[in-house]
Amino acid sequence: IDESFKFNQESIEKEIRNRYDYQHINVFTIDPENAKDFDDALSIEYGDKYNTLGIHIADVSHFIYSDSDMDREAMGRGNSYYFPEKSYHMLPNDLATKFCSLVPGEKRLAVSICFKLTESGDIVNEYATQSVIKNKNRLSYDEVNEMLGSPNNSKLHRDISFLYDLHKKLRKKRLENGALNILNTEISFEYDAKGVPIKIIEKKQSESHSMVEECMLLANKYVAELLGSK
């Protein structure tokens, strides 16, 4: 915890000059309604020939030095755990929920993985860069599903509609290339005031879930190929 105190908003401001500045782009997050922190964000930029999909991952590595006290403690915990009454984070609380979280309206450090795409969803260029972003819209899965059902001419609605069409093209290509189509059932629980489970709810995967999942698979594939080539 003592080690984490040296990081704050001022330390983020000092780092901005060393990074590509994406603050002008309409970056947005899509998460569950009750999300505690925000790890990844998306953006769409339009061009005459190509459109660019940006997948922005919170740059936790900027705050954690190898073999530091925080690094060893995080390795010991191995994960963050979310319970109805309390969350147990892998990192000190201020880092996990503030400076390493892509909270709306704040400058945040990220690694941005960008894909230039044709109208048919073919990738013509891909690259990653350390960046600074600002989350312009914190969206829930349910909100995105509603937007898909009632589109309008706003930039955000256009981005969501574009992402919806793109994810179907990417998914089709992925399955044609031999990807496994694994369907899992996700379960959530409803609790009473004492934290006792009173209801089991089966969560159906919606279009908004599929959109985000397809983008993350694309980013994972790029990083795996990049690391595998080095």
Side-chain angles (χ1 to χ4, degrees):
I1 289 171
D2 289 344
E3 205 171 70
S4 72
F5 286 157
K6 63 185 173 187
F7 297 110
N8 50 37
Q9 193 62 38
E10 185 179 345
S11 63
I12 291 175
E13 297 281 348
K14 289 179 180 177
E15 173 64 15
I16 288 174
R17 64 178 177 270
N18 301 322
R19 293 173 175 251
Y20 197 94
D21 195 340
Y22 280 126
Q23 292 182 76
H24 61 287
I25 293 176
N26 185 41
V27 171
F28 54 91
T29 54
I30 306 175
D31 291 283
E33 185 66 50
N34 60 349
K36 303 289 194 306
D37 38 54
F38 311 101
D39 303 324
D40 45 70
L42 302 169
S43 66
I44 309 292
E45 294 176 89
Y46 304 98
D48 294 333
K49 288 184 66 177
Y50 306 115
N51 301 309
T52 302
L53 167 66
I55 302 166
H56 312 277
I57 313 297
D59 188 3
V60 181
S61 65
H62 175 78
F63 302 89
I64 310 293
Y65 302 118
S66 180
D67 205 34
S68 62
D69 288 333
M70 277 200 291
D71 185 35
R72 287 192 293 271
E73 178 68 16
M75 289 285 284
R77 295 184 178 214
N79 211 333
S80 294
Y81 302 89
Y82 301 98
F83 295 99
E85 72 281 5
K86 189 177 180 182
S87 298
Y88 296 87
H89 294 287
M90 186 170 62
L91 302 178
N93 198 58
D94 271 5
L95 284 186
T97 62
K98 292 181 184 177
F99 307 121
C100 292
S101 181
L102 307 179
V103 294
E106 298 289 348
K107 298 172 184 177
R108 288 293 178 262
L109 306 179
V111 174
S112 296
I113 304 169
C114 302
F115 300 88
K116 278 196 172 182
L117 303 142
T118 64
E119 286 296 325
S120 59
D122 293 319
I123 298 170
V124 296
N125 190 21
E126 53 189 5
Y127 56 93
T129 182
Q130 290 182 309
S131 62
V132 57
I133 65 168
K134 186 178 286 186
N135 181 1
K136 304 288 179 64
N137 291 279
R138 184 275 199 251
L139 302 171
S140 69
Y141 290 121
D142 290 341
E143 285 175 320
V144 171
N145 289 330
E146 289 177 15
M147 292 168 71
L148 290 171
S150 55
N152 61 40
N153 294 323
S154 71
K155 172 71 166 71
L156 183 59
H157 274 74
R158 184 187 178 194
D159 290 353
I160 295 300
S161 295
F162 175 88
L163 196 58
Y164 173 71
D165 291 335
L166 176 63
H167 102 275
K168 290 191 292 184
K169 296 170 186 174
L170 292 174
R171 186 174 188 277
K172 184 173 183 292
K173 292 176 186 293
R174 186 167 55 82
L175 293 175
E176 286 174 350
N177 287 331
L180 294 175
N181 185 20
I182 301 172
L183 297 175
N184 290 326
T185 300
E186 188 175 345
I187 298 296
S188 65
F189 299 88
E190 190 176 303
Y191 301 86
D192 64 15
K194 295 181 178 179
V196 177
I198 57 174
K199 189 176 182 181
I200 299 173
I201 304 160
E202 182 180 338
K203 298 170 72 174
K204 304 287 186 183
Q205 188 178 53
S206 65
E207 293 292 355
S208 57
H209 285 87
S210 298
M211 286 161 52
V212 174
E213 183 181 74
E214 209 60 48
C215 291
M216 296 309 138
L217 286 170
L218 194 64
N220 286 344
K221 182 173 181 286
Y222 169 82
V223 171
E225 289 174 343
L226 185 70
L227 293 176
S229 68
K230 291 188 181 298

